[in-house]
Amino acid sequence: MDMRHIVGSNVRRLRLEKDLTQERFAELSGLAQQYISGLELGRRNPTVVTLYELAVALGVEPADLLRK
């Protein structure tokens, strides 16, 4: 599986576990909802800084977003 899909799948799973909409998650992370959508679909290649911001918004460690 492509790393972009792994990250996107993990972000979506964790977001849904926290019962967050993409819109609310975008607000919490400081990213655009369109970016979140593309990320979850595996179309975006997040930077290390973005991974950190996503992890903080989800209340997890950045490494959790990289696990298969």
Side-chain angles (χ1 to χ4, degrees):
M1 183 181 270
D2 181 287
M3 194 57 154
R4 289 172 296 200
H5 286 97
I6 291 170
V7 170
S9 176
N10 285 332
V11 168
R12 178 176 168 77
R13 177 181 51 78
L14 292 164
R15 175 180 64 78
L16 292 174
E17 285 176 6
K18 303 218 181 267
D19 200 29
L20 296 171
T21 64
Q22 284 187 348
E23 292 81 9
R24 181 64 183 134
F25 182 53
E27 292 171 8
L28 292 172
S29 65
L31 301 166
Q33 185 272 327
Q34 294 84 358
Y35 183 86
I36 301 297
S37 176
L39 182 75
E40 289 184 356
L41 292 171
R43 295 181 182 157
R44 299 285 184 164
N45 191 18
T47 65
V48 172
V49 172
T50 301
L51 284 174
Y52 175 79
E53 292 167 351
L54 293 165
V56 168
L58 289 167
V60 299
E61 293 295 321
D64 294 334
L65 301 179
L66 303 174
R67 289 187 174 86
K68 281 187 175 185

